[in-house]
Amino acid sequence: MSDKTYPPSDEFVANAHVDAAKYKEMYAASIEDPSAFWREQGKRLDWIKPYTKVDNVSFEPGAISIKWYEDGTLNASANCIDRHLETRGDQTAIVWEPDDPEADARHITYRELHEQTCRLANVLKDMGVKKGDRVVLYMPMIPEAAYAMLACARIGAIHSVVFAGFSPDALGARINGSGARVLITADEALRGGRKTALKSNADAALLHCDDRVQCLVVKHTGGQTTWTARDHDCKALMAEASTDCPPEEMSAEDPLFVLYTSGSTGQPKGVVHTTGGYLVYVAMTHELVFDYHDGDIFWCTADVGWVTGHSYIVYGPLANGATTLMFEGVPTYPDASRFWQVCEKHKVNQFYTAPTAIRALMGQGDEFVTKCDLSSLKLLGTVGEPINPEAWNWYNEVVGKGTRPIVDTWWQTENGGHLITPLPGAIATKPGSATLPFFGVQPAILDPQTGKEITTTEAEGVLCIKNSWPAQMRTVYGDHERFEKTYFADYPGYYFSGDGCRRDADGYYWVTGRVDDVINVSGHRMGTAEVESALVAHPKVAEAAVVGYPHNIKGQGIYAYVTLMSGEEPSDELRRELEQWVRTEIGPIAKPDLLQWAPNLPKTRSGKIMRRILRKIAEDDYGSLGDTSTLADPSVVDGLIEHRLNKG
Ligand code: WTA
């Protein structure tokens, strides 16, 4: 960790929405009188019926309830599209850059976005979708993904986007979990020149779903797919549909979307975000954290299957009438300069990506960057995992030429938008620190042993938030008890993030990573319990334990210890079979990087697996195993150490 600070340039500050004095003043106001502060910020949106109430929140154990702007009504799609038509109907809303650099990019104006969204909304209505119904999206990074999200919002349906890298099983579970009757997908996704058969995956998923589920298929690559009676050609239906679809009047607290995310136990949970507070918060953070100015081209490289894509490709930018870039491909296709070529081609002003991508590109050499004209860039951002100072420095020097502020934004699916982040014109950055809280956010560091808040400036412990912010998740879909238990039970009165954190003498926050059994692989959240349950579902596996270990590019890799059923013999073939099994059960992102055969797992006398020890062995740090005397059979550990796979 470095304590060197990087203040923004005078030139940047002069142009910025928020400078240091304004940050202090606004932050103080947001904490002293949150209702007044957020009452004012709510005016960023167009309301059908204005709110009179602002916040109505209880973090009381057993009575967790979070409401913002609850008596106001609005429509998210109207806020992202219709209200811009008069002044910027011909402005580009979405720049779409295809996977193939030779293919034509598309510039979709706000007027076109309106037309396409209305058409798709009418198609959904014709299929019987009504306010409050759920619609699952399993989509490539194509404009139709944004149309589909906004079309749902327009008619009051709740979208649930499933990342296109998830397997049929994972997709099926999410369709069933949400009770959706419509799935929107495409024939194939195209990434890095390779096709993924989304429609075939969808067919496999739907084998385990209600017969009444209908499937809207966007013909994207034209790849051959099998069509059945429940399938509909999305583009053909859109072409026939009316371009007029009045937006549904929604309560601020009506759900806008559900997004599944991994936790430390059990299967992924459906994070529920509602309409008013979420949209206020993502619009505000998009404008201030990225210092977005009218006319800028904003690029967030995330996939719409993750929360970052929801908040900072679609809802935040479009609520602000911005131009948002959507990229179908991958950073290394056709070569490692693709990101920078796209920046040059479209004159990108703000560029927002994940540390794992930065590390991967850094390893390819500087020429891929330096040969491109990056003079349009004004700001760089990162999200998804802690950024190591080497990667930060490379991003700063080679990509940013040492003159662009870097915003390292800490937040989670549950948060809806940035919680701890530099405001680029106000806060000097330190490589590896997300710096200071956004307006209205009161972080707290708690001692995990005592559960008490540490009030000294310098502190280390678990990261909690003391108060609510408008984009906070409201509940776990269909399971409010799980919501309370996951986020409010361990530290009553606080929202518990699951992250460890240090606060330095300047009050800067340094998020160190998860303190629970969630790992962060290439910026993707993965529950170790999910991978374990996939492994033990294989008939030859008796037991499995999964932990994370440090990985140069991915941040963390997946290390699996597998105990076979008696009579089964370990082999390379079986290892490959198990890897393939996990890909099929969850998806390629869950495939173990290292899989060690474990005749036995280290357990306490009461039968609990001691993960602490397994983590140490996976990290190749077995010299500091600590106390192993509580193990039922300490000799198990020696065997595991001897055959460890991550030898330093
Ligand atoms: C991690 C992504 C350090 C953290 C928006 C969190 C980060 C999890 C940062 C949420 C950051 C995200 N610095 N760690 N700037 N941003 N994280 O739900 O562990 O996919 O709990 O949301 O990513 O991941 P999620």
Side-chain angles (χ1 to χ4, degrees), residues 340 351 369 374-375 377-380 392-406:
W340 322 120
F351 177 76
V369 188
L374 297 181
S375 56
L377 287 176
K378 297 198 270 194
L379 170 139
L380 304 172
W392 196 98
N393 287 328
W394 183 82
Y395 200 31
N396 179 45
E397 284 157 26
V398 181
V399 181
K401 319 290 178 222
T403 59
R404 278 75 164 183
I406 297 180

Side-chain angles (χ1 to χ4, degrees), residues 164 217 265 306 335 438-439 454 532 535 547:
V217 186
T265 54
W306 310 113
D335 66 31
F438 189 72
F439 300 123
I454 308 171
E532 286 165 7
L535 283 166
V547 297

Side-chain angles (χ1 to χ4, degrees), residues 23 27 30-31 59 281 410 415 418-421 434-446 452-457 459 461-469 493-497 499-503 507-511:
Y23 170 72
Y27 184 77
S30 73
I31 301 305
F59 280 6
Y281 197 82
W410 176 83
N415 307 155
H418 311 137
L419 289 195
I420 302 180
T421 172
T435 75
L436 298 174
F438 189 72
F439 300 123
V441 175
Q442 290 181 267
I445 294 190
L446 272 61
K452 293 254 174 338
E453 185 175 341
I454 308 171
T455 52
T456 47
T457 305
V462 295
L463 178 58
C464 292
I465 310 292
K466 267 195 245 193
N467 61 329
S468 183
W469 61 98
Y494 296 84
Y495 165 79
F496 171 46
S497 69
D499 279 333
C501 188
R502 178 173 78 88
R503 188 166 55 212
Y508 277 41
Y509 291 84
W510 301 75
V511 175

Side-chain angles (χ1 to χ4, degrees), residues 138-178:
Y138 185 62
M139 297 285 277
M141 286 288 285
I142 54 177
E144 285 77 7
Y147 305 159
M149 291 165 77
L150 293 162
C152 288
R154 194 160 190 92
I155 62 173
I158 304 165
H159 60 71
S160 177
V161 185
V162 177
F163 174 56
F166 279 124
S167 70
D169 284 7
L171 172 62
R174 285 157 176 77
I175 295 170
N176 288 332
S178 67

